[in-house]
Amino acid sequence: MDLRKSLGILTEDNKQSFKTKRMIQYVNLKLSALGQPYFQRESDKRFLDLATDLIKNHKEKNRLLANYLCPADQRIQNFIDSYLSDYKTKINLRMPSNTFILDSHGIARALSLPPDKDEFQSSIINSYRIKQGVLHNPKNDRRTTKGVFHICEGGLPVPDDKKSVPINVFARLLLASLNPPKELLQLPYTSSQEKHAELFVSLLLRPTVSPEV
């Protein structure tokens, strides 16, 4: 019997293990509520069985609020609607609504790798678990200013050393990015199993506001 653990006196290793387990349960709960495959582990399956009614209720709310966007995505949608309406483009652009919302610290790191592996590889990125966190090595990682910058028309004047492109170019590029192949929608979190979660994620940051600054 581990007396320190039973009394709630956790070592650094135990704290990390506890936090990791809770994060996996939280991510699985969110994926299940979105109707997506989650990381299959017997202990987590029992945990989700306890939350079955809660998950069903959440799914029904998602169905009724089919066009709901998290606050961060709604601000982007408001900009798109305002920007494109002035140019009367025929392309109707909508941000994805059924997304996995990154609403607390540590979730993005948890989604970056499957819980049972220390690496993830795809056609665009290789990721590795290291002591400090997760190392991402994109296939195309070019930090350079060489070449010509293209700026979409509208808003501030386009500088002479840049090239302007019509508003429809922006609209069509954005439309293509919102309809990627399934491979690019796959979450690394479920990549080690047969059924993969495939969806967008939404970054919802809540910065600390300091009025005196």
Side-chain angles (χ1 to χ4, degrees):
M1 177 180 178
D2 189 339
L3 182 60
R4 292 176 62 86
K5 186 175 181 181
S6 64
L7 293 175
I9 305 174
L10 302 178
T11 64
E12 288 302 318
D13 290 341
N14 284 337
K15 286 180 182 178
Q16 189 62 34
S17 177
F18 178 75
K19 287 171 62 178
T20 300
K21 181 179 179 181
R22 290 295 296 271
M23 182 60 71
I24 292 174
Q25 290 178 338
Y26 184 60
V27 171
N28 280 345
L29 186 61
K30 289 174 71 72
L31 284 174
S32 181
L34 290 167
Q36 291 283 337
Y38 55 88
F39 182 70
Q40 299 288 341
R41 195 168 60 175
E42 189 60 32
S43 58
D44 296 317
K45 186 177 184 300
R46 291 195 298 267
F47 168 76
L48 289 174
D49 286 342
L50 294 174
T52 299
D53 291 337
L54 179 64
I55 292 172
K56 288 181 178 179
N57 183 46
H58 188 79
K59 285 182 177 179
E60 181 62 17
K61 288 182 178 179
N62 283 343
R63 186 185 68 81
L64 296 175
L65 300 173
N67 295 321
Y68 170 79
L69 299 174
C70 80
D73 290 349
Q74 187 60 58
R75 290 188 66 180
I76 297 174
Q77 185 64 55
N78 293 342
F79 166 77
I80 292 173
D81 293 341
S82 174
Y83 190 51
L84 297 184
S85 65
D86 294 340
Y87 291 84
K88 297 180 175 59
T89 178
K90 296 181 180 180
I91 301 176
N92 182 30
L93 289 169
R94 291 291 305 173
M95 296 291 290
S97 57
N98 195 33
T99 64
F100 188 111
I101 301 175
L102 307 178
D103 52 6
S104 62
H105 175 74
I107 299 182
R109 178 184 296 184
L111 292 180
S112 297
L113 293 168
D116 58 342
K117 290 185 177 295
D118 293 328
E119 62 180 89
F120 168 76
Q121 296 182 352
S122 73
S123 61
I124 61 172
I125 195 171
N126 293 333
S127 300
Y128 308 92
R129 195 187 312 278
I130 59 177
K131 186 175 182 180
Q132 293 86 349
V134 180
L135 171 65
H136 297 292
N137 185 22
K139 181 179 179 181
N140 298 312
D141 186 12
R142 299 176 181 176
R143 298 183 180 92
T144 177
T145 56
K146 183 179 180 180
V148 178
F149 282 88
H150 294 74
I151 300 178
C152 188
E153 296 172 346
L156 298 174
V158 179
D160 293 336
D161 62 335
K162 307 294 189 297
K163 289 188 176 181
S164 64
V165 294
I167 189 71
N168 277 334
V169 174
F170 160 75
R172 292 183 182 279
L173 283 173
L174 184 57
L175 180 63
S177 69
L178 294 176
N179 294 275
K182 285 188 175 182
E183 179 193 358
L184 298 183
L185 285 174
Q186 182 186 132
L187 291 184
Y189 180 79
T190 57
S191 62
S192 63
Q193 59 190 35
E194 184 176 352
K195 293 183 178 180
H196 301 152
E198 299 172 344
L199 74 169
F200 280 93
V201 299
S202 298
L203 180 58
L204 180 59
L205 295 177
R206 297 188 178 93
T208 301
V209 178
S210 302
E212 67 275 11
V213 176

